Amino acid sequence: MDEQTSIKPNGLALIPFIVFIGFFLLSGIILDKMGVEMAFYQIPSPIAVLIGTIVAFLMFKGSIDSKFDVFVKGCGDDNIIIMCLIYILAGAFATLSKASGAVDSVVNLGLSIIPVQFITAGIFVIACFLSIATGTSVGTIVTVGPIAVGIAQKAGLPVALVLGALVGGSMFGDNLSVISDTTIAATRTQNVNMKDKFRANFKVALPAAIVTLIILLIVGRSSGPVDLGDLKYNFVLILPYLFVLIAALCGVNVFVVLTLGIVFAGGVGIGTGSYNGLELCQNIFQGFSGQFEIFLLSMLTGGLANMVRANGGIEWLVLKIAKMAKDKNSAELSTALLTMISNAALANNTVSIIICGPIAKRISNKFKVDPRRTASLLDMFSCITQGLIPYGAQILIASGFTEGAVSPVELVPYIWYPMILLVFAVLSIFFRYADLKTKWNFELDKVEEA
């Protein structure tokens, strides 16, 4: 008898997870009522996980040593460690590229080649590429946000419309980027290759992006002249981004891709005089350090999830979902709904994927859902939710650039890409047009679970 079948389902074992999510949600609501900016992000997420972990240690049976052993095994799970190593390498690459001026070059190159009358659609396209290249929606919004507001005011366009295009494009890239936290979490929790998840995602995200772009080309046209000033860029600085994207999609090992990407970006930075050898080392470590919170969060969540699993919590949840799900379609809908609910509570798409990933893995095995498809669903539906909740970091930051002129709630109706992506994502469940042609060997998953 394997370990999975020997665990007795126990709904009470989910209490530590509920405490973790509840603390996150309640603290955000209270701080928001107190008028604190970025209320849902004031308490570091690892602290919330730690509270849930303490509850798990207090309520679960067994000795402290045995419970600690289960917790540590979860923290040190192969996929968790691999995920964390990818995080720090991706952080180093992103920091080096940004320090060289690559981000500014991407923005200026886009603005220089896009016709001024289509500037709203142009902002969407720039955000799509920049977020794919950098792997961060928040970083894209922070970089392009002030420029977008200034352009909207000069062109006489609704600021909310332009910022909505920016947020939508940022979520497009965050969902697809091979160095995005969400992609890393989704692929590692399902143990699939990034290129396969990208292919499954792209079949849904591209049509949604095209429809969004067409709408913005029609309704976001500028009738007046816009002076964008002197737009300086260096195409060489963008090459490391292109290298990482192309190499990852060609199936090169992710560690090799990111290591070579770091070498490439560092060489370009030194070659262009952006920094010297000492600053190169400092930037790499800064990139490592910038991933500390998500690194710690992943390890602690892995430990907590293993304790919950060992005490029957995940078995109970999978059993309940299995009763509602009758086939592959309903199983995928269950994964999507679970991810959206978790994301809405946590206001963090990466955290929601880490939490829902193990549950989604069990559901996909039970109903023979391709895990590459499951990884795509986790990433898509978490990004859809994150791009539409008015208390999410992306919308709060974008709204903040207007200095109160456009509230987060007023901005949401203009963020069309996540809404359109939701439609295509649901259609892909019922019409199966995004399924990969190569079949998945589910026997491999059975061996891994045993």
Side-chain angles (χ1 to χ4, degrees):
M1 181 179 292
D2 63 39
E3 184 183 3
Q4 296 291 350
T5 56
S6 65
I7 297 175
K8 183 179 179 180
N10 178 16
L12 294 178
L14 290 170
I15 289 177
F17 260 153
I18 295 172
V19 170
F20 161 35
I21 296 173
F23 177 80
F24 217 117
L25 182 60
L26 186 61
S27 62
I29 293 173
I30 292 174
L31 291 173
D32 184 62
K33 294 295 183 183
M34 294 170 60
V36 177
E37 291 186 3
M38 302 289 290
F40 284 82
Y41 300 88
Q42 292 301 313
I43 296 180
S45 51
I47 301 301
V49 183
L50 183 61
I51 292 173
T53 302
I54 292 173
V55 172
F57 270 89
L58 291 174
M59 69 172 288
F60 292 151
K61 295 179 180 180
S63 66
I64 290 293
D65 288 343
S66 63
K67 286 185 282 191
F68 191 72
D69 185 56
V70 173
F71 176 74
V72 171
K73 284 182 179 178
C75 292
D77 178 82
D78 289 351
N79 281 323
I80 295 292
I81 297 301
I82 291 172
M83 189 189 307
C84 290
L85 291 175
I86 295 173
Y87 283 146
I88 63 173
L89 289 175
F93 171 75
T95 301
L96 281 178
S97 299
K98 183 177 181 181
S100 68
V103 171
D104 293 334
S105 283
V106 169
V107 175
N108 289 341
L109 174 61
L111 291 174
S112 66
I113 62 178
I114 294 169
V116 176
Q117 65 268 30
F118 299 124
I119 201 64
T120 304
I123 291 292
F124 175 75
V125 173
I126 291 171
C128 286
F129 180 79
L130 185 58
S131 54
I132 286 179
T134 61
T136 167
S137 54
V138 169
T140 299
I141 293 169
V142 169
T143 301
V144 185
I147 299 172
V149 171
I151 289 175
Q153 293 172 341
K154 289 179 181 179
L157 291 165
V159 175
L161 174 64
V162 178
L163 285 178
L166 169 61
V167 174
S170 299
M171 298 314 298
F172 171 86
D174 191 15
N175 179 212
L176 286 175
S177 175
V178 294
I179 61 171
S180 166
D181 290 350
T182 58
T183 295
I184 296 168
T187 53
R188 292 320 310 170
T189 57
Q190 306 309 303
N191 198 23
V192 299
N193 292 326
M194 288 186 178
K195 68 170 184 176
D196 292 331
K197 179 263 182 189
F198 181 93
R199 287 164 53 210
N201 246 108
F202 197 68
K203 292 180 179 181
V204 183
L206 181 61
I210 292 174
V211 172
T212 304
L213 181 62
I214 292 172
I215 294 174
L216 291 173
L217 286 171
I218 297 172
V219 305
R221 297 187 61 164
S222 170
S223 56
V226 182
D227 182 14
L228 298 178
D230 186 19
L231 299 173
K232 296 181 179 179
Y233 62 87
N234 185 347
F235 186 76
V236 173
L237 296 176
I238 305 174
L239 293 179
Y241 287 144
L242 296 176
F243 166 78
V244 166
L245 177 61
I246 294 171
L249 295 181
C250 288
V252 179
N253 179 279
V254 64
F255 289 103
V256 175
V257 170
L258 289 174
T259 301
L260 292 179
I262 290 170
V263 174
F264 194 174
V268 168
I270 291 177
T272 56
S274 301
Y275 40 72
N276 56 37
L278 178 60
E279 292 169 333
L280 168 68
C281 297
Q282 293 171 341
N283 284 329
I284 291 175
F285 186 73
Q286 182 183 343
F288 290 167
S289 302
Q291 299 298 309
F292 175 73
E293 181 174 343
I294 189 64
F295 187 108
L296 184 59
L297 171 69
S298 298
M299 290 190 66
L300 292 177
T301 304
L304 176 58
N306 200 42
M307 293 184 74
V308 171
R309 182 200 62 79
N311 287 274
I314 291 180
E315 289 288 335
W316 182 87
L317 190 56
V318 170
L319 187 63
K320 293 297 180 182
I321 293 175
K323 288 182 178 179
M324 294 186 291
K326 304 301 181 182
D327 52 22
K328 184 182 293 187
N329 290 355
S330 55
E332 290 190 1
L333 284 173
S334 298
T335 297
L337 185 60
L338 185 66
T339 304
M340 294 183 77
I341 292 173
S342 172
N343 201 129
L346 295 167
N348 189 307
N349 45 353
T350 305
V351 180
S352 68
I353 291 173
I354 294 173
I355 291 175
C356 297
I359 303 169
K361 181 68 171 174
R362 298 289 309 284
I363 295 172
S364 68
N365 282 339
K366 184 175 182 64
F367 290 95
K368 296 293 186 289
V369 177
D370 191 324
R372 298 167 295 185
R373 169 68 174 165
T374 300
S376 174
L377 292 171
L378 286 168
D379 206 340
M380 278 193 298
F381 283 95
S382 64
C383 284
I384 287 168
T385 308
Q386 188 68 22
L388 293 175
I389 50 176
Y391 49 88
Q394 289 81 356
I395 294 178
L396 289 174
I397 293 171
S399 174
F401 289 124
T402 69
E403 298 181 350
V406 180
S407 72
V409 174
E410 292 172 325
L411 182 56
V412 170
Y414 291 90
I415 308 174
W416 297 330
Y417 172 73
M419 302 179 194
I420 297 171
L421 178 62
L422 175 61
V423 174
F424 278 94
V426 173
L427 289 175
S428 73
I429 292 175
F430 291 102
F431 294 98
R432 318 304 314 176
Y433 71 87
D435 288 357
L436 297 177
K437 293 182 179 179
T438 55
K439 300 299 181 182
W440 183 263
N441 185 358
F442 286 94
E443 294 301 319
L444 294 176
D445 289 318
K446 289 182 180 179
V447 172
E448 289 175 4
E449 282 196 7

